Each structure stands twice: as structure tokens, then as C-alpha cells.
Amino acid sequence: MGCKCCRWPVNACRMARMVKLLPLSFTGLVLFLTVHSFYNDAVITGTLLLILFFPVFGFLPRKPLNLPPGPSGIPVLGYLPFLGEKPHQEMAKLAKKYGPLVHIQLGSFPGLVVANARLAKEVLMTQDQVFSSRPDSFVTWAKHFAYYHEGSEVRYSMGTAKPGPFLRNMRRLVAVELVAPKRIEHFKAIRREEMDAMVQELLSEVKSGKQIVDLNMAIGALAMNVMSRMVIQKRYYAKDISPETKKEAYEFQRLLVTVLTWAGYPFLQDFVPGLRPLMSMISSNEREMAKMAKNTDAFFETILQEHRQRQNTVESSQDFVDVLIQSVGDDGKRLDDKAIKAVTMEMFMAGAETTATTIEWALAELLHHPDIQTNLQTELDTVIGTTRMAQESDIPNLPYLHAVIRESFRLHPVSPLMIPHSNSEATELDGYHIPANSHIFINSWAIGRDSSIWSSPEHFDPERFHKSNKFLDSQSSEDQRSMVGIDYKGLSYELLPFGSGRRGCPGMQIASHVVSVAVARLVHGFRWSLADDRAPEDMDMEERFGMNLQMRSPLHRVCCEKRLPEEVYLSM
Ligand code: HEM
């Protein structure tokens, strides 16, 4: 067990205190002698001594704080080096050992892992206001890609912003202009056209005799095109685009991949801010990011200027950038150009990859479990028939599809630790002291595998969400029975792929439409199996942690067979 104040090993903590005291004591001694030889007056020297040594009391042994239990780390870095390549899994292991609330020291910051539904509710609902900030540790990325500088404290990205006028205004704009029912309906045609385009693209590959298709690419193109048409009225992912757009699309894709990669990168200086000046000097990452940030800024500046020239004021043809340009904040001012550029980019980062990865995991599970794929096809054929493709209006009539998607979200939340929350003031949680500015990791991956909630938690089985729930027997508790009613919209803390509360995902409605219809279309229109004679049980279902929790082996080579009559595809 580590020291109660910081969880380092007790001796390491004592040593660190002594090391911290040395320079102060030395400086104090030198100053004392200088001052005393100058004034030769005991009262003045004594007063100065008191002032000088006052801060030292901060380093003397303190009354132990009642922190939640947790592992000890190493001096300076704390538990950072032990989080490994899959921090969500390591944090889940810690929760098994120490309980659902675990304290971990992350460099200079206290960290907290929340790993059960009851405590997630406490953080996201009961104490939502206290925990709705974001940590101070995103600043390296934000400095380059969200126009952050330490003097201003403003981070022009919703995901990293602290509560305040910028975040309030942005969340309002997204809620009203992108995801309100009227706008969802308005963008319906875009979603339908992109779904049709994906099916046609897959069909043309199947017809050309290639039975193996790149499903990862098809899904990625769908999610990107839906987002880019809503946000900037452009379509970058298609074979039939003009050579000019192709160049622009290439630059867009290159920039986005880089920005996403850096966003998932743990910068040491963000956790040990004392190292920031040194790292800025020696780190090649910072130089590379600064270069890339210039290109990103130039790209989104062009988009912004194109929109300004077009001056689109007709609501029916407005995209999200038009809305951002015209919006007026609480202070009566228009948005800063930097904010418009950063939020435009963020829509792609937060909205497209997450949606694509979610669809890919669902399809992966259906490849891994062919019997469940067949069950879903049976439901689709029964409800929709075989003479037309699935539409958005069919979704409420497809309970098994809904169960498949919920089960996929349970096992594969693409943001397994959400975006870390932070508390602006010290508080108490479950009787423990939570220091201000802690990094709060709500581990939805671990909650989705909590055996006190879910029977056979590692097992993919949509039945647990379906009325014919075979996991229920006479021994089942009321809690287990109520699983059938659990949804992912932020009201059931057992299933939180989109988070919940003030910082919950504002894009949930759009994502939910795209994910449901894409899975329905892909499974209704095609039969999927593994390429290269691989058996389902040999499939690689491992994860790769990053900005999103992706498949370690994405679905680049999958067998695809058309399963509806030819005229259904032709009539789209
Ligand atoms: C299946 C797709 C998606 C999933 C699983 C997902 C999940 C999440 C999660 C877990 C969070 C963090 C919640 C928290 O920290 O409490 C989040 C935040 C966010 N999401 Fe999504 N998201 C998806 C799609 C989208 C879409 C389509 C958009 C764009 C319209 C979007 C925009 C955002 C933004 C801007 C934030 C930051 C909100 C804030 O910090 O206040 N997301 N999302």
C-alpha cells in the first residue's frame, strides 16, 4: 500500500519531500545570512524567515487525505508508465482489485477511475455540475489544433473546453442546428443518398467478380460523406469525384488522419507540466505538430472563405459552417474565425470516425457469430420483405436490430473512457475525498463487462436486450430482468457509449440514425463471411486503443454476397 497522501511508496514520498525541501532550505540559509549580516536585527531577520519558510509548511507531513484505494506508482510519473497500450483494460483490472472507485496518480495530477453504474450516475447526474469540466492535460494538442494559448485559457474545441460561454454557445448550436428533430429530418436525404451510394459501391465490386470487399473503407466513406455533406456540403470519399476535388479530398484525409493520431497521443508534458519548457525545446513531435497545424489552419481557412463568399442565407441550403458564421453568442458577438475552423474540424474528428468504428464492430460481431447474422436477416426479411431496401422509418419496427446494436455498444464503446471529465472543486464521492482538478475516467468498457450487472458479460448475445431474453430464469433478479429495457441514450448508467449529462455526446441522435440504418442495409442487402477460409472463431477481435477504440485487424478483406433480387438494388 502506498503513501496516503499521494500513493507513492511511503519511503519514495518521504524522499521526494526531502528533495523538494533541499533547495528551499539552502536558499533560506543563504538569504538568512545575507539579510542578517545586512540588518543585524533579529526581529527583521525573524520576520523574513517566517515569510520565507511559510511555503515550506506545505511540504511537511500533512493529515492523510481519505483518497479512494489504488496502486502506488513511481515518483514524478505516478501510475502513468503502468497504464500500457490499453489503459481502459488496465483500469478495469485495477477496479477488480481495488473496487469501483480507484485513485491513480498521473504525473502531477490525481486521477480517478469510476467503474460501476451507481458511481457513474453519481458523477454524471447527481454531481454533474461539479464533474463537468475537462482536465488541464489536453493542452499540447489544443495548443496546436484548437488555437489554445496559456494566457487566454480558451480552447476552441468542444471536447476539451471548460464550462463557459464558448462551450454553452457551441452545444446550443449543435443542438439546434445539427441534431434538433427538424434538422435531422432536413438531412435525411443526405443520409439516404449516402446509404444508397455505399450499397451501389459494394454491389459493383461484387458484380465485377471480386467477392472480397474492403468493408472498413466502405463504412468509413459512408460516415465521412454524411458528416462532410452536413457540415461543409462536400463529398470527399467517392470514386467519381473531379480531379480537383480529388486533390482536396486527399489533403483532407491526410490532415484528418494526422490530427486524429495526435489527439490520441499521451504527451508527457501534459501530465508533468514542469517538463513543458524542456519538451517544447527537445521534442520533434511538437515541431511536427506545429507544421501540420499550419496546413490544417490553411485548409479550414479556405473552407471558411468559400462559405463567406457564397453567403448562404437560405435555411434549406445551409450547412453547419454557414450556421457557425452567422451565429451570435450570449455576448452579442459573432464567433471568432479560429473557433469556426476548430469546431468544423472537430465535427469530423468526433462524429465520423466514432460512427464508422461503431458500425464496423457491429459487423465484426455478426461475422464472428453467423447465427446472429442469420437471426437479424430473418427479422429484416420478415419486417421489410425482400422487395425493397431498409429505410430509416423501418428502424422502430426492428427490435432485434436494436438489440444487436445495444449489445455491440456494450462490448465495444468506441470511447471506452469517454473524454476524461474533471472536477473544478474538491468533492466527496462514496465517502472518499476527490481533490480538485482530478482526471475522471468513467470506464464504460468495464461497466459493460460488470458481472454484477450482466450474465456471461464477455459473451456477445443480443438476446439479453430482447424480449425472449434467454439469460433470464426463475433465479434472475429484478435488476437482470430490467436489462431488456436498457438503452444507450444516456439514461441507463449500465450502458454509456455516448456518456450522459452536461458533457454527453451532442451527436448521439445523428450517430444513432446512421449506425442503425447502415447495419440494417448491410445485413439485409448482403450476406457476410470471412475471407481466406478463416473460421469465425479464429477472427481477431482484439482492440487498438487510440482516439477511438478500433479493431486491431480492421475488416479490409471480407466476403460479400448479394442476397436480394437484382431489381431491389436497381430501384434505389
Ligand atoms: C457512434 C458514434 C458516437 C459515439 C459512440 C460518441 C461518443 C461520445 C462520447 C462517449 C463522448 C464523451 C462524453 C463525455 O465525456 O461524457 C462524446 C462527446 C462528443 N461527441 Fe460524440 N459520439 C459519436 C458521434 C458523434 C457525432 C456524430 C458528433 C457530431 C455531431 C459528435 C460530437 C461530439 C462532441 C462535440 C463531443 C464533446 C462534447 C463535450 O465535451 O461537451 N459525436 N461522444
Side-chain angles (χ1 to χ4, degrees):
M1 196 60 153
C3 165
K4 286 226 163 139
C5 74
C6 61
R7 304 242 172 262
W8 291 356
V10 176
N11 286 338
C13 176
R14 273 195 203 128
M15 282 269 284
R17 284 166 190 278
M18 280 166 64
V19 170
K20 279 179 188 168
L21 275 174
L22 275 180
L24 269 170
S25 316
F26 181 71
T27 321
L29 188 67
V30 171
L31 262 170
F32 174 80
L33 292 174
T34 318
V35 171
H36 200 65
S37 66
F38 190 70
Y39 288 108
N40 207 9
D41 181 318
V43 177
I44 296 181
T45 310
T47 312
L48 280 170
L49 250 183
L50 255 180
I51 295 169
L52 189 71
F53 277 91
F54 192 71
V56 172
F57 296 129
F59 293 94
L60 295 177
R62 287 163 271 167
K63 185 171 167 274
L65 297 173
N66 182 26
L67 297 174
S72 44
I74 56 171
V76 183
L77 297 179
Y79 202 71
L80 269 182
F82 306 105
L83 286 177
E85 286 185 355
K86 295 176 190 161
H88 61 298
Q89 293 193 14
E90 177 59 28
M91 289 183 191
K93 277 188 207 148
L94 291 177
K96 278 207 169 129
K97 183 165 174 194
Y98 294 100
L101 209 55
V102 183
H103 170 271
I104 44 172
Q105 188 68 25
L106 299 173
S108 311
F109 299 100
L112 184 73
V113 180
V114 177
N116 81 8
R118 178 179 63 82
L119 293 167
K121 184 174 178 184
E122 181 77 18
V123 170
L124 297 174
M125 192 180 99
T126 319
Q127 297 201 46
D128 188 16
Q129 190 155 13
V130 178
F131 286 108
S132 65
S133 192
R134 295 290 190 208
D136 286 323
S137 61
F138 290 124
V139 292
T140 302
W141 181 89
K143 194 169 85 186
H144 294 287
F145 298 110
Y147 304 96
Y148 166 80
H149 63 90
E150 274 153 64
S152 85
E153 269 291 308
V154 178
R155 302 169 191 175
Y156 286 129
S157 94
M158 288 172 74
T160 64
K162 298 210 174 203
F166 170 75
L167 184 67
R168 209 168 35 247
N169 191 25
M170 281 303 144
R171 288 199 65 108
R172 180 183 57 82
L173 283 178
V174 173
V176 176
E177 302 293 350
L178 212 53
V179 301
K182 199 177 98 190
R183 296 298 278 174
I184 297 254
E185 190 57 30
H186 171 69
F187 290 127
K188 193 171 166 181
I190 291 181
R191 294 193 294 275
R192 199 186 46 237
E193 282 164 25
E194 290 305 329
M195 296 287 166
D196 288 354
M198 174 182 69
V199 170
Q200 289 300 349
E201 189 64 46
L202 288 169
L203 190 71
S204 73
E205 302 220 355
V206 173
K207 275 187 172 168
S208 70
K210 277 201 227 165
Q211 268 165 359
I212 295 176
V213 299
D214 187 338
L215 185 55
N216 168 278
M217 207 163 87
I219 295 169
L222 165 82
M224 270 297 170
N225 285 338
V226 168
M227 216 56 213
S228 62
R229 288 184 64 187
M230 289 193 308
V231 176
I232 55 177
Q233 286 184 50
K234 293 201 181 214
R235 188 162 187 269
Y236 286 137
Y237 290 75
K239 286 191 180 141
D240 55 351
I241 50 179
S242 70
E244 223 171 76
T245 317
K246 208 168 247 172
K247 218 170 127 207
E248 191 179 317
Y250 176 75
E251 178 64 358
F252 175 77
Q253 288 165 21
R254 191 177 71 95
L255 290 174
L256 204 65
V257 168
T258 316
V259 178
L260 276 167
T261 310
W262 287 125
Y265 192 86
F267 294 100
L268 183 58
Q269 60 270 41
D270 283 347
F271 292 97
V272 189
L275 291 177
R276 205 177 291 291
L278 177 72
M279 295 306 277
S280 300
M281 273 191 316
I282 62 167
S283 154
S284 59
N285 288 346
E286 291 249 8
R287 282 192 293 278
E288 231 175 275
M289 272 194 293
K291 205 167 106 198
M292 214 59 203
K294 274 194 185 147
N295 298 345
T296 319
D297 178 71
F299 186 88
F300 285 100
E301 179 66 34
T302 310
I303 302 257
L304 176 60
Q305 294 315 329
E306 278 173 9
H307 278 74
R308 283 233 159 87
Q309 277 157 22
R310 213 174 57 202
Q311 289 203 332
N312 211 336
T313 49
V314 185
E315 198 197 338
S316 61
S317 55
Q318 275 192 341
D319 60 32
F320 192 56
V321 172
D322 291 319
V323 168
L324 291 176
I325 290 174
Q326 286 157 27
S327 89
V328 178
D330 293 353
D331 54 3
K333 288 190 192 152
R334 290 217 184 269
L335 272 179
D336 190 322
D337 280 5
K338 288 176 182 167
I340 300 178
K341 287 185 275 186
V343 171
T344 306
M345 184 176 78
E346 186 173 27
M347 287 296 113
F348 294 103
M349 290 178 60
E353 281 277 322
T354 41
T355 306
T357 308
T358 300
I359 301 170
E360 188 172 12
W361 274 117
L363 263 290
E365 287 291 1
L366 295 175
L367 278 159
H368 198 40
H369 301 279
D371 50 328
I372 299 178
Q373 185 182 156
T374 309
N375 290 348
L376 181 54
Q377 276 155 351
T378 307
E379 176 180 84
L380 290 159
D381 290 350
T382 313
V383 175
I384 300 167
T386 52
T387 55
R388 66 173 179 88
M389 281 277 164
Q391 304 293 351
E392 278 186 15
S393 53
D394 295 316
I395 302 303
N397 307 321
L398 297 165
Y400 194 73
L401 171 75
H402 190 40
V404 166
I405 289 169
R406 280 182 285 173
E407 180 68 339
S408 191
F409 270 136
R410 180 183 71 81
L411 283 177
H412 310 291
V414 295
S415 306
L417 301 172
M418 302 191 188
I419 302 174
H421 285 231
S422 183
N423 48 327
S424 43
E425 56 194 66
T427 187
E428 270 205 6
L429 200 56
D430 223 23
Y432 291 110
H433 174 80
I434 312 299
N437 299 321
S438 293
H439 287 47
I440 316 289
F441 300 95
I442 300 155
N443 195 338
S444 56
W445 187 91
I447 297 173
R449 286 166 167 76
D450 182 344
S451 55
S452 69
I453 306 176
W454 312 100
S455 339
S456 311
E458 295 295 335
H459 195 62
F460 181 87
D461 196 334
E463 294 292 333
R464 70 176 82 243
F465 290 113
H466 201 238
K467 49 184 181 304
S468 62
N469 191 342
K470 69 173 184 230
F471 290 101
L472 297 180
D473 54 31
S474 55
Q475 309 289 309
S476 300
S477 66
E478 266 313 300
D479 281 354
Q480 282 166 337
R481 287 178 189 286
S482 64
M483 292 298 106
V484 180
I486 284 188
D487 207 351
Y488 55 75
K489 302 271 169 83
L491 296 175
S492 311
Y493 294 85
E494 298 86 350
L495 189 63
L496 289 167
F498 292 100
S500 171
R502 270 164 221 262
R503 299 309 290 257
C505 177
M508 182 177 66
Q509 289 299 344
I510 304 178
S512 162
H513 276 81
V514 177
V515 170
S516 309
V517 183
V519 175
R521 280 275 180 117
L522 287 167
V523 177
H524 190 218
F526 302 96
R527 192 169 295 108
W528 299 94
S529 56
L530 292 170
D532 310 321
D533 293 328
R534 273 179 312 145
E537 54 277 17
D538 298 335
M539 214 177 144
D540 182 1
M541 297 296 281
E542 281 298 319
E543 304 160 336
R544 187 161 57 81
F545 188 86
M547 168 82 182
N548 293 316
L549 194 63
Q550 299 194 328
M551 295 189 71
R552 181 171 71 181
S553 306
L555 303 177
H556 286 303
R557 283 175 58 77
V558 190
C559 284
C560 173
E561 215 183 307
K562 137 176 119 58
R563 64 180 292 280
L564 296 177
E566 187 77 20
E567 54 277 15
V568 177
Y569 304 92
L570 294 175
S571 64
M572 277 191 307

